[in-house]
Amino acid sequence: MMFLPLFTDQISEGYVILITGLIIVFSALILLSLFFKYALPIMLYIYKVITRRKDKKITEISLKSDRNFTGEIAAAIGAAVHMYMNEQHDHESAILTIKQVKKTYSPWSSKIYGTHNRL
Amino acid sequence: MKKILLIFSVLSLLIFIRPALGLNSNKSAENITTSVSVEQNNQIEEVNSYNGAFEGIKQFYNYTGFANATSGNLIMIIIGIIFIFLGIKYDYEPLLLIPIGIGVILGNIPFVAGNQTGIYETGSVLNYLYFGVVKGIYPPLIFLGIGAMTDFSSLIANPKLMLLGAAAQIGVFATFLGALYLGFNLPEAGAIGIIGGADGPTAIFLSSKLANGINILPDGTTVKNLIGPIAIAAYSYMALVPVIQPPIMRLLISKKDRKIRMKPPRAVSQKEKMIFPVAALILTTFISPSSLPLLGMLFFGNLLKESGRTERLADTARTKLIDIVTILLGVTVGASTQADIFITKDSLLIFGLGAISFVIATMGGLLFAKLMNLFLKGDNKINPLIGAAGVSAVPDSARVVHTEGLKSDPHNYLLMHAMAPNVSGVIGSAIAAGIILSFLG
């Protein structure tokens, strides 16, 4: 009889945990799904509204940051890139012989083949 | 080489025969009392040394596994070999079964206690590696890797499927209650219940916190160490998902329902994918702070993947890091099944409860999916089969749902849809673990 109250206590506590646990798990995931169903689209919409202003024409874009970037610099960079690409030829392999093509044929037990094609 | 072997074998034969001869001469020496005393002394000394050698061999034998083996050790070693065999021959989750199998063998080699050999002896190497399990370090690292692997986009596209992941957690709590009725105390029952979450790392995490053999209960007794049985049960049932789930699906879902086609999920923008881990982390951990180590790492890993700036880190987390941790976790969990601690009535009960919890979790998911269908109309209806993927077991249960759907309609591809409840099941079981931990920890 001594242990009976303890035992039932545990079980009842178990039920408490069962019910609250399930409620919490469900509420957490419901909250998450509601957030992604409703709150997130609203947030994204607001973000869009904040970031998107009137579409500018290309002539309206200010060139402040590009003031130092003159046509001369562009030409210099272009020339450098062009020259660099051209020079790629100089670093090619100078050996222009035809490579030996090995036949796929491989008679693994052939004595003659073994003596002619040493690995 | 042969000569060396011959010499060696002759020498060893001599060594074994000489003591026998020596003993014989000793007896004869006792009989002949008139022999010279000096000679006798020499002989006794020799006999003593032979006896010493014998003692040494005897002592050595006592230290070997042959002398200390118990039937439990042998059974567990055979189980370990079966695990390895299943992993190699049938390709049955080899990444888990082979480390665990070799771990089971390692943990059950018989030894003399007190030499810092066994996994449960403080100071042994295995004990230091096991530290990561006992303190719950490995599971969050695994979750980091899982986060860096997982694509949550199907869940973001269809958030209502998250409820299926919650519904499958019924298995956790039902098993918890079942374990209580079977006489386990509260923390042990909580750790056993999480097997229903079908998530190996979560199960190890929770059992290392609740049923670790260290914590002391209010009535003064120490909790049992159930990490080994729980981990083995969780992982073996996860491997058995393709066997356990299909019959339940066929039992509960009508043929007509199995053919329901779901409309393809909408495309999800990168922005949403990036917001998901941060928002979900904050929301879920505010509700259940105890699951912070698991969910924190899961969403951290996912952010690494989705941010687009940390591809290197994400790549390490989902390949090298998770591999390293899986190796350590597998071997040490396997080794923790030392026979004298593992082969108990409790382990059997845990295995039984684990099977039941898987069944209940699957049923919970399936029935809840049917319930949701009552409220959904037209082409918004979901195929109830995907409810079964609400038990986590990523990605096996989603795959099972997919193949089961293909059986009733060869053109109904459910994999993408099933991944949503699948990943929400991971989140759900981590939250459930957090709740149980906050109640009982």
Side-chain angles (χ1 to χ4, degrees), chain B residues 360-394:
Chain B
I360 295 174
T362 309
M363 284 164 74
L366 290 170
L367 292 176
F368 198 81
K370 280 178 99 169
L371 182 78
M372 279 172 76
N373 256 355
L374 295 180
F375 300 98
L376 297 170
K377 285 179 193 107
D379 60 348
N380 270 331
K381 271 195 191 293
I382 56 173
N383 189 320
L385 284 180
I386 64 168
V391 304
S392 11
V394 182

Coordinates of all heavy atoms in Angstrom, one line a residue, chain B residues 360-394:
Chain B
I360 N 2.5 3.5 -33.4 CA 1.6 4.5 -33.0 C 1.9 5.8 -33.7 O 1.0 6.5 -34.2 CB 1.6 4.7 -31.5 CG1 1.1 3.5 -30.8 CG2 0.8 5.9 -31.1 CD1 1.2 3.5 -29.3
A361 N 3.2 6.1 -33.8 CA 3.6 7.4 -34.5 C 3.1 7.4 -35.9 O 2.5 8.4 -36.4 CB 5.1 7.5 -34.4
T362 N 3.3 6.2 -36.6 CA 2.9 6.1 -38.0 C 1.4 6.3 -38.1 O 0.9 7.0 -39.0 CB 3.3 4.8 -38.6 OG1 4.7 4.6 -38.4 CG2 3.0 4.7 -40.1
M363 N 0.6 5.6 -37.2 CA -0.8 5.7 -37.2 C -1.3 7.1 -37.0 O -2.2 7.6 -37.6 CB -1.4 4.8 -36.2 CG -1.4 3.3 -36.6 SD -1.7 2.1 -35.3 CE -3.4 2.3 -35.0
G364 N -0.6 7.8 -36.0 CA -1.0 9.2 -35.7 C -0.9 10.1 -36.9 O -1.8 10.8 -37.2
G365 N 0.3 9.9 -37.6 CA 0.5 10.7 -38.8 C -0.6 10.5 -39.9 O -1.2 11.4 -40.4
L366 N -0.8 9.2 -40.1 CA -1.8 8.8 -41.2 C -3.2 9.3 -40.8 O -3.9 9.9 -41.7 CB -1.8 7.3 -41.3 CG -0.6 6.7 -41.9 CD1 -0.6 5.1 -41.8 CD2 -0.4 7.0 -43.4
L367 N -3.6 9.1 -39.6 CA -5.0 9.4 -39.2 C -5.2 11.0 -39.2 O -6.2 11.5 -39.6 CB -5.3 8.9 -37.8 CG -5.4 7.4 -37.8 CD1 -5.7 6.9 -36.4 CD2 -6.6 6.9 -38.7
F368 N -4.1 11.7 -38.8 CA -4.2 13.1 -38.8 C -4.3 13.6 -40.2 O -5.0 14.6 -40.5 CB -3.0 13.7 -38.1 CG -3.3 15.2 -37.7 CD1 -4.0 15.4 -36.5 CD2 -2.8 16.2 -38.4 CE1 -4.2 16.7 -36.2 CE2 -3.0 17.5 -38.1 CZ -3.8 17.8 -36.9
A369 N -3.6 13.0 -41.1 CA -3.7 13.4 -42.5 C -5.1 13.2 -43.1 O -5.6 14.1 -43.8 CB -2.7 12.6 -43.4
K370 N -5.7 12.1 -42.6 CA -7.1 11.9 -43.1 C -8.0 12.9 -42.5 O -9.0 13.5 -43.1 CB -7.6 10.5 -42.6 CG -7.1 9.4 -43.4 CD -7.6 8.0 -42.9 CE -8.8 7.5 -43.6 NZ -9.1 6.1 -43.3
L371 N -7.8 13.3 -41.2 CA -8.6 14.3 -40.5 C -8.4 15.6 -41.3 O -9.4 16.4 -41.5 CB -8.1 14.4 -39.1 CG -8.8 15.5 -38.2 CD1 -10.2 14.9 -37.8 CD2 -8.0 15.8 -37.0
M372 N -7.2 16.0 -41.7 CA -7.0 17.2 -42.4 C -7.7 17.3 -43.7 O -8.2 18.3 -44.1 CB -5.5 17.4 -42.6 CG -4.7 18.0 -41.5 SD -3.0 18.0 -41.8 CE -2.8 19.4 -42.8
N373 N -7.8 16.1 -44.3 CA -8.5 16.0 -45.6 C -10.0 16.4 -45.5 O -10.6 16.8 -46.5 CB -8.4 14.6 -46.2 CG -7.4 14.6 -47.3 OD1 -6.9 15.6 -47.7 ND2 -7.1 13.4 -47.8
L374 N -10.6 16.2 -44.3 CA -12.0 16.5 -44.1 C -12.2 18.0 -44.3 O -13.3 18.5 -44.7 CB -12.4 16.1 -42.7 CG -12.5 14.6 -42.4 CD1 -13.0 14.3 -41.0 CD2 -13.3 13.9 -43.4
F375 N -11.2 18.8 -43.9 CA -11.3 20.2 -44.0 C -10.8 20.9 -45.3 O -11.0 22.0 -45.5 CB -10.6 20.9 -42.8 CG -11.1 20.4 -41.5 CD1 -10.5 19.4 -40.8 CD2 -12.3 21.0 -41.0 CE1 -11.0 19.0 -39.6 CE2 -12.8 20.5 -39.8 CZ -12.1 19.5 -39.0
L376 N -10.1 20.1 -46.1 CA -9.5 20.6 -47.3 C -10.4 20.3 -48.5 O -11.0 19.2 -48.5 CB -8.1 20.0 -47.5 CG -7.1 20.4 -46.4 CD1 -5.8 19.5 -46.6 CD2 -6.7 21.8 -46.5
K377 N -10.4 21.1 -49.4 CA -11.3 20.9 -50.6 C -10.5 20.9 -51.9 O -9.4 21.5 -52.0 CB -12.3 22.0 -50.6 CG -13.4 21.9 -49.5 CD -14.4 23.0 -49.5 CE -15.2 22.9 -48.3 NZ -14.9 24.0 -47.3
G378 N -11.1 20.2 -52.9 CA -10.6 20.3 -54.2 C -9.2 19.7 -54.4 O -8.9 18.7 -53.8
D379 N -8.4 20.4 -55.1 CA -7.1 19.9 -55.3 C -6.1 20.3 -54.2 O -4.9 20.1 -54.3 CB -6.5 20.4 -56.7 CG -6.5 21.9 -56.8 OD1 -7.0 22.5 -55.9 OD2 -5.8 22.4 -57.7
N380 N -6.7 20.9 -53.2 CA -5.8 21.1 -52.0 C -5.7 19.9 -51.1 O -4.9 19.9 -50.2 CB -6.4 22.3 -51.2 CG -5.9 23.6 -51.6 OD1 -4.8 23.7 -52.1 ND2 -6.7 24.6 -51.5
K381 N -6.5 18.9 -51.4 CA -6.5 17.7 -50.6 C -5.1 17.1 -50.6 O -4.4 17.1 -51.6 CB -7.5 16.7 -51.2 CG -8.9 16.8 -50.6 CD -9.7 15.6 -50.9 CE -11.2 15.7 -50.6 NZ -11.6 15.9 -49.3
I382 N -4.8 16.5 -49.4 CA -3.4 15.9 -49.4 C -3.6 14.3 -49.5 O -4.6 13.8 -49.1 CB -2.7 16.2 -48.1 CG1 -3.5 15.9 -46.9 CG2 -2.3 17.7 -48.1 CD1 -2.7 16.1 -45.6
N383 N -2.6 13.7 -50.0 CA -2.6 12.2 -50.0 C -2.3 11.8 -48.6 O -1.2 12.1 -48.0 CB -1.5 11.7 -51.0 CG -1.6 10.3 -51.2 OD1 -1.9 9.5 -50.3 ND2 -1.5 9.9 -52.4
P384 N -3.2 11.0 -47.9 CA -3.0 10.7 -46.5 C -1.7 9.9 -46.3 O -1.2 9.8 -45.1 CB -4.2 9.9 -46.1 CG -5.2 10.2 -47.2 CD -4.5 10.5 -48.4
L385 N -1.2 9.2 -47.3 CA 0.0 8.4 -47.1 C 1.2 9.3 -46.6 O 2.0 8.7 -45.8 CB 0.5 7.8 -48.5 CG -0.3 6.6 -49.0 CD1 0.2 6.2 -50.3 CD2 -0.3 5.5 -48.0
I386 N 1.2 10.5 -47.0 CA 2.4 11.3 -46.5 C 2.4 11.6 -45.0 O 3.4 11.9 -44.5 CB 2.5 12.7 -47.3 CG1 1.3 13.6 -47.0 CG2 2.7 12.5 -48.8 CD1 1.6 15.0 -47.4
G387 N 1.3 11.3 -44.4 CA 1.2 11.4 -42.9 C 2.2 10.5 -42.2 O 2.8 10.8 -41.2
A388 N 2.5 9.3 -42.9 CA 3.4 8.4 -42.3 C 4.8 8.9 -42.3 O 5.6 8.4 -41.5 CB 3.4 7.1 -43.1
A389 N 5.1 9.9 -43.1 CA 6.5 10.5 -43.1 C 6.7 11.4 -42.0 O 7.8 11.9 -41.8 CB 6.7 11.2 -44.5
G390 N 5.6 11.6 -41.2 CA 5.7 12.5 -40.1 C 6.7 12.0 -39.0 O 7.2 12.8 -38.2
V391 N 6.8 10.7 -38.8 CA 7.9 10.2 -38.0 C 9.1 10.6 -38.7 O 9.2 10.5 -39.9 CB 7.8 8.6 -37.9 CG1 6.5 8.2 -37.4 CG2 8.1 8.0 -39.2
S392 N 10.1 11.1 -38.0 CA 11.2 11.7 -38.8 C 11.9 10.7 -39.7 O 11.6 10.6 -40.8 CB 12.2 12.4 -37.9 OG 12.0 12.2 -36.5
A393 N 12.9 9.9 -39.1 CA 13.6 8.9 -39.9 C 13.9 9.4 -41.3 O 13.6 8.8 -42.3 CB 12.8 7.6 -40.0
V394 N 14.5 10.6 -41.4 CA 14.8 11.2 -42.7 C 15.9 10.4 -43.4 O 16.9 10.0 -42.7 CB 15.3 12.6 -42.5 CG1 15.6 13.3 -43.8 CG2 14.3 13.4 -41.7

